[in-house]
Amino acid sequence: MEPTTITINGTPESTAAAPIQEPQRQQYYMEKARKQLSAFSTALGRPLTCCINTFGCQMNARDSEKLLGILESIGYQATDSEHADFVLYNTCTVRENANQRVYGRLGQLGAYKKKNPHMMIALCGCMMQEPEVVERIKTSYHFVDLIFGTHNIFKLAELVSTCLDTRQEKKHRTVIDIWKDTDKIVEDLPVERKYPFKSGVNVIFGCNNFCSYCIVPYVRGRERSRRPEEILKEVKRLAADGVVEIMLLGQNVNSYGKNLEEPMTFAQLLREVEKIDGIERIRFMTSHPKDLSDELIEVMSQSKKICRHLHLPLQSGSSRILKEMNRRYTKEQYLTLAEKIKAAVPGISLTTDIIVGFPGETEEDFLETMDVVRRVEFDSAFTFIYSKRTGTPAASMENQVPEDVVKERFDRLLNEVQSISAKICGRDVHTVQQVLVEEENDHTPGYMTGRLSNNTVVHFPGDPSMIGKLMDVYLEESKGFYYMARPV
Ligand code: 5AD
Ligand code: SF4
């Protein structure tokens, strides 16, 4: 019987007569796909459109900018509508509800495709690195044209071209290309940035930490640091292009550089990035408390460009649960670190992630978390209900906490977090601060929205010509989570 899927599932060298080396190989496929799509567009008598829907974290958002860069360079025009000719879901699987959202929306996409049979539907991202997800899509969502994972997004032009080749045949097939892991980092492919004035910059891919609840190391692979020359070249190019704020990205930026031929610390990298003219603000995400060095705190305290904001996931305030989570720090170590950072960088905003209901969490453990929340006074916290991820060590732990108990703790935590943020977020009221103007205010005509160095949102009178500029504003009134201000 004829197969209904084409599984490529290998290194790019194994597939075709194109150049072997990347990125040259992809340039070959971009040219090929461009010709195929141009013929397709001529036959339809209109331009082809594409839509990327991104789920999950900043890493996925940055990947989507790269994916869009490739799609635009082969001839698609971006649209927000899922009635586009090419629809791609860049998925997340960190919690189960992210998966359920994707399945829910896929059904809708299938209905669109019935009306528009030449439409192409593609899925990529973390969820696709799970074999049982791919099996489910193969059996229940036959209309999907392309599935690829997190390690080979640079191959999108090649994969689209393969899909277009298979369309020449009568039978519908799903092209599947998922790599288990990779040591490859492909540079110099097109990127389409969402904002002209700010950009993410990947510094390290993957994660080696294996926190016991977390699926990320299984779907994003082992840590791979980009070479500093490549990072600095990209940041210089961004600065020349008008970018003033960059966000250095990694699952754990603090382990940057350990595996480079010439090892380098993240703090050393920051010092180099800081020297680049035109870049006015530097952010980074995410920091693991166990790896946050004194050297980094010193660089933050001396820097004029590094923003006064640190996202430092706590996960739990109980040393016993932290051990079960394999976080490799204790409650006391976290508290000491938070104090040290606050003392070194006055006015810094600390934000965090917290999981409620990890297996075996008792009321006493939960109260330890509440205690840390009260003592550190986070500016904001993302709070999550523990989600069981198949294949992680925590999924097979005994003493999973009953749903109603978790929900009750979650509500208490959320209340506490919100009342603390409301109390402390307004601490800069009646001072002049610098904002980066980001967009027009959605609700109030004649108002603009920007962000302070510490990431707090500010609204003030202005016009769109200010977008992308750094300007001083006087913070007139605190509204809890944001300020009303006026330009000075
Ligand atoms: N359940 C709930 N939250 C999780 N996170 C990661 N894995 C899980 C899980 N299985 C949270 C962590 C992490 C954030 C990105 O997602 O708090 O920091
Ligand atoms: Fe997941 Fe832990 Fe790695 Fe963060 S550090 S991505 S929580 S395993």
Side-chain angles (χ1 to χ4, degrees), residues 47-210:
L48 297 171
T49 54
C50 70
C51 170
I52 302 182
N53 199 333
T54 309
F55 300 79
C57 67
Q58 307 260 4
M59 297 290 237
N60 263 16
R62 182 64 179 156
D63 283 351
S64 287
E65 293 186 338
K66 296 178 186 173
L67 292 160
L68 184 59
I70 297 173
L71 290 176
E72 289 196 343
S73 86
I74 61 177
Y76 285 106
Q77 291 181 3
T79 165
D80 290 335
S81 161
E82 292 195 352
H83 291 279
D85 299 302
F86 186 94
V87 177
L88 171 61
Y89 281 0
N90 187 4
T91 61
C92 167
T93 189
V94 79
R95 284 169 294 276
E96 178 60 25
N97 52 8
N99 290 31
Q100 293 313 326
R101 281 222 306 280
V102 168
Y103 289 128
R105 295 177 68 150
L106 258 183
Q108 184 66 51
L109 276 190
Y112 295 164
K113 190 164 173 172
K114 276 211 173 103
K115 288 196 190 136
N116 181 8
H118 73 256
M119 176 182 184
M120 264 204 229
I121 298 176
L123 301 171
C124 70
C126 295
M127 203 177 145
M128 301 306 130
Q129 293 292 138
E130 293 180 274
E132 57 279 12
V133 168
V134 176
E135 277 314 308
R136 178 163 171 190
I137 291 165
K138 270 163 56 177
T139 46
S140 308
Y141 301 89
H142 295 275
F143 53 82
V144 172
D145 296 273
L146 169 62
I147 305 175
F148 57 106
T150 55
H151 300 300
N152 54 353
I153 63 165
F154 68 90
K155 276 185 76 179
L156 181 58
E158 181 174 348
L159 296 170
V160 169
S161 174
T162 308
C163 285
L164 292 166
D165 285 342
T166 65
R167 290 218 158 173
Q168 305 298 324
E169 305 162 21
K170 288 261 153 53
K171 206 170 156 99
H172 174 78
R173 297 195 190 200
T174 307
V175 173
I176 303 176
D177 191 12
I178 309 218
W179 300 3
K180 276 217 171 74
D181 202 347
T182 186
D183 53 10
K184 209 185 251 310
I185 298 179
V186 179
E187 302 283 355
D188 297 324
L189 288 166
V191 181
E192 182 60 35
R193 291 198 314 277
K194 189 166 173 202
Y195 299 96
F197 53 87
K198 66 172 184 178
S199 178
V201 174
N202 298 105
V203 299
I204 179 167
F205 300 95
C207 181
N208 288 357
N209 288 314
F210 290 93

Side-chain angles (χ1 to χ4, degrees), residues 207-211 213-217 251-252 288 315 327:
C207 181
N208 288 357
N209 288 314
F210 290 93
C211 300
Y213 51 81
C214 186
I215 201 160
V216 168
Q251 304 296 346
N252 177 14
H288 194 306
Q315 311 301 5
R327 291 290 288 176

Side-chain angles (χ1 to χ4, degrees), residues 62 199-203 226 231 234-235 238 246-250:
R62 182 64 179 156
S199 178
V201 174
N202 298 105
V203 299
R226 277 178 85 191
I231 296 169
E234 180 177 351
V235 176
L238 290 168
I246 55 161
M247 162 89 85
L248 303 178
L249 294 171

Side-chain angles (χ1 to χ4, degrees), residues 334-347:
Y334 189 96
L335 286 170
T336 308
L337 186 60
E339 260 171 44
K340 210 183 324 180
I341 294 159
K342 284 188 175 188
V345 189

Side-chain angles (χ1 to χ4, degrees), residues 64 336 346 355 416-417:
S64 287
T336 308
I355 298 175
E416 192 65 37
V417 161

Side-chain angles (χ1 to χ4, degrees), residues 289-290 319 328-339:
K290 79 175 165 53
S319 295
R328 285 169 276 173
Y329 54 84
T330 60
K331 173 186 181 184
E332 290 67 33
Q333 283 166 332
Y334 189 96
L335 286 170
T336 308
L337 186 60
E339 260 171 44

